Amino acid sequence: MNREHDRHGIGMTSQRTRERLIQRLYDEGLSNAGVLEVIRRTPRHLFVDEALAHRAYEDTALPIGHNQTISQPYMVARMSELLLAAGPLDKVLEIGTGSGYQTAILAQLVERVFTVERIQGLQERAKERLVKLSLRNVVFRWGDGWEGWPALAPYNGIIVTAAASEVPQALLDQLAPGGRLVIPVGSGDVQQLLLIIREEQGFSRHVLDAVRFVPLLNGPLA
Ligand code: SAH
């Protein structure tokens, strides 16, 4: 890939494919203009291996190594919309940095993102990508997402990009009043996207789409 191509996002073809992706997300009912605009301008091809760059603007998950995947753009948009549906957020905790793509989208929509990943190699690459895109409002942690990031709690929004067998108690504890948690729960083929809101008393729980994510595993890994 030469520098000119890199700068413009693999040429004009890609510009058209990007527009097509945005149109498709819109047609599928995603309507938050801010979210769609951020997806339009974020170069997803920089978050996958060069060999897969030509597929970066398809609405599909793609492998990123270590048996993990970069989330499907539809899911990234959907979860971002759910998180932001009640208004702007200043502090968001993300569990499962992966490629850093969802992180990069959030970083352009909220004030600060705190992101936790258990695989160090993925985290390092994600960091490099965000620096390259001059996204500086992100703090990274290598650790176990089941525990959240208690030292910096509470958060106005928490997003989990891997499927948990149950809702981690630590994440509920770290939600600010009015805070919103978006999390896929379940195992194997049976997973449901949940939106959990911390109300004045207790939590409200909304069961949304059937989804398919890689599992939320236990413990950090070198
Ligand atoms: N949002 C990412 C999705 C990556 S897939 C992207 O778009 O690229 C889910 C990620 O969750 C993987 O990187 C995986 O390593 C991470 N993960 C799984 N279990 C975890 C845990 N307990 N703590 C932190 N990260 C975890």
Side-chain angles (χ1 to χ4, degrees):
M1 205 188 293
N2 68 34
R3 201 167 276 152
E4 187 68 5
H5 277 147
D6 194 30
R7 194 151 56 82
H8 293 294
I10 37 181
M12 287 312 288
T13 324
S14 146
Q15 200 53 45
R16 278 203 303 276
T17 9
R18 281 199 209 191
E19 293 303 329
R20 219 176 290 139
L21 172 63
I22 299 305
Q23 185 61 45
R24 182 181 162 142
L25 297 180
Y26 183 82
D27 291 344
E28 285 178 336
L30 296 161
S31 57
N32 184 316
V35 171
L36 290 179
E37 179 50 32
V38 164
I39 290 181
R40 184 203 307 273
R41 67 171 183 239
T42 303
R44 189 168 182 256
H45 66 276
L46 299 184
F47 291 82
V48 295
D49 277 351
E50 231 175 285
L52 286 171
H54 67 290
R55 301 192 55 197
Y57 300 99
E58 292 175 18
D59 189 20
T60 177
L62 293 168
I64 54 171
H66 303 267
N67 275 326
Q68 305 302 321
T69 54
I70 181 173
S71 304
Q72 184 191 358
Y74 176 87
M75 246 329 123
V76 172
R78 171 86 170 123
M79 292 173 88
S80 304
E81 275 197 14
L82 288 168
L83 214 52
L84 290 161
L89 299 174
D90 55 358
K91 269 177 83 183
V92 170
L93 174 68
E94 178 190 44
I95 306 299
T97 315
S99 68
Y101 179 67
Q102 171 83 70
T103 323
I105 299 297
L106 287 173
Q108 298 171 78
L109 293 163
V110 307
E111 266 181 45
R112 284 178 299 164
V113 181
F114 302 89
T115 185
V116 180
E117 170 57 53
R118 70 185 280 277
I119 300 176
Q120 210 161 22
L122 288 177
Q123 186 196 46
E124 288 308 318
R125 260 179 292 156
K127 259 188 205 172
E128 288 165 14
R129 293 180 179 119
L130 268 69
V131 166
K132 193 168 171 185
L133 295 174
S134 304
L135 297 171
R136 299 193 182 88
N137 55 342
V138 178
V139 192
F140 294 83
R141 175 182 162 98
W142 175 49
D144 182 2
W146 281 95
E147 294 165 11
W149 193 338
L152 302 175
Y155 305 94
N156 310 105
I158 302 180
I159 180 172
V160 183
T161 68
S165 50
E166 58 190 84
V167 179
Q169 183 60 42
L171 300 186
L172 294 174
D173 294 343
Q174 290 168 35
L175 264 189
R180 303 161 73 83
L181 166 63
V182 178
I183 180 171
V185 174
S187 60
D189 287 346
V190 190
Q191 300 174 5
Q192 219 90 44
L193 191 62
L194 303 188
L195 168 65
I196 295 172
I197 302 172
R198 180 165 218 149
E199 308 289 356
E200 261 174 51
Q201 296 200 332
F203 296 87
S204 64
R205 195 181 150 106
H206 311 265
V207 180
L208 307 167
D209 326 351
V211 291
R212 189 150 190 188
F213 281 83
V214 295
L216 187 69
L217 300 172
N218 289 310
L221 187 82

